[in-house]
Amino acid sequence: QVYTFDYPDYTHSISITGGPFLTNPGQRGMSVVFRTDLPAGAGVEYRLAGTEETIRKYRSENGILSRHNINHIVHLTDLEPGTTYEYRPVIFDPRTENSVATGDWKSFTTFTTEKPLFRALFFADLHGDRIMLRKMLERFDARNSDLVIYGGDMVWSAMHAPEAENLWDEALCFSSKIFASEVPLVFSRGNHEGGGMYSDSYSQVFQTPEGNTYSAFRLGEVFFVNLDSGDIHPEHMDCF
């Protein structure tokens, strides 16, 4: 038996094509998501704001560094509540097995129940209208909010492109540039993100440390619950 496969074209250095953005906010954790143009390993270098000592956390599966993905989600845990951290992505090149921290330092602040007031924004059903979404994010100053929530149906039709490509193109790339690299984004999947041949790729960019697409967290005196019922129906059902 002869096995053949198409090896990625590593004739140029690996670069970040989307993100980073923050998700899964909490009192003790935060997740960093970014996308590369070639399959690679991924990590995050982070530190307490204003300090020099850094920690690196890599994405792994069953104790093995993941190297075959272009969508990367790295979960930072054991953080302190109400504390500001600085971070930047790390790319692990599978050709050279070298890790390189890339990009400018970004910052985020973990949530705390001691925050008396906070500012959260909610947007939904933009259906790929990047112009309108950009106008609203700028009009309501998403960059200076504590939290932004996308309530689903942010893609035009459905998840028809592999590796969640149209979700990046229609919502995530410019969201990270406007606010989401420093203000956490929580996404609640709608039927448009739940449909299409590549709908399962949604979890490549939105997934909790436990592997779920639903979550709960506290900010100030408010307890948020992000539900996700999925889109699984018996074959005999005539449903939208």
Side-chain angles (χ1 to χ4, degrees), residues 22-42:
L22 303 168
T23 191
N24 296 326
Q27 298 177 66
R28 304 281 295 181
M30 189 75 73
S31 297
V32 178
V33 184
F34 59 97
R35 180 182 178 93
T36 52
D37 60 343
L38 292 169

Side-chain angles (χ1 to χ4, degrees), residues 129-144:
D129 191 338
R130 288 171 287 189
I131 295 176
M132 178 60 70
L133 180 57
R134 179 184 292 275
K135 287 181 178 179
M136 291 196 296
L137 291 172
E138 293 175 348
R139 168 66 177 83
F140 296 104
D141 198 14
R143 190 185 302 272
N144 289 309

Side-chain angles (χ1 to χ4, degrees), residues 191-208:
N191 66 290
H192 284 253
E193 288 83 25
M197 180 177 291
Y198 298 100
S199 57
D200 60 335
S201 66
Y202 172 86
S203 61
Q204 293 180 13
V205 288
F206 289 105
Q207 185 182 111
T208 67

Side-chain angles (χ1 to χ4, degrees), residues 19-23 25 30-33 47 49 83-89 103-111 119 141-148 172-186:
F21 71 85
L22 303 168
T23 191
M30 189 75 73
S31 297
V32 178
V33 184
R47 65 190 182 190
T83 303
T84 301
Y85 293 86
E86 298 170 331
Y87 78 95
R88 58 185 178 181
D104 298 330
W105 287 98
K106 307 291 185 181
S107 66
F108 65 83
T109 302
T110 52
F111 287 177
R119 190 171 191 271
D141 198 14
R143 190 185 302 272
N144 289 309
S145 299
D146 297 289
L147 170 68
V148 176
L172 300 181
C173 280
F174 71 90
S175 294
S176 67
K177 293 178 181 178
I178 295 175
F179 74 92
S181 64
E182 298 197 325
V183 176
L185 169 63
V186 170

Side-chain angles (χ1 to χ4, degrees), residues 155-171:
V155 297
W156 164 242
S157 178
M159 302 287 280
H160 292 312
E163 309 289 352
E165 183 177 352
N166 58 319
L167 184 59
W168 280 102
D169 289 345
E170 296 176 27

Side-chain angles (χ1 to χ4, degrees), residues 71-129:
N71 289 316
H72 311 285
I73 180 166
V74 182
H75 305 296
L76 307 183
T77 57
D78 299 322
L79 306 179
E80 293 298 320
T83 303
T84 301
Y85 293 86
E86 298 170 331
Y87 78 95
R88 58 185 178 181
V90 173
I91 296 176
F92 177 88
D93 190 327
R95 300 164 300 179
T96 62
E97 297 195 346
N98 290 328
S99 294
V100 178
T102 181
D104 298 330
W105 287 98
K106 307 291 185 181
S107 66
F108 65 83
T109 302
T110 52
F111 287 177
T112 175
T113 57
E114 304 301 317
K115 193 175 181 68
L117 297 173
F118 64 85
R119 190 171 191 271
L121 301 179
F122 180 93
F123 304 99
D125 295 281
L126 270 293
H127 298 286
D129 191 338

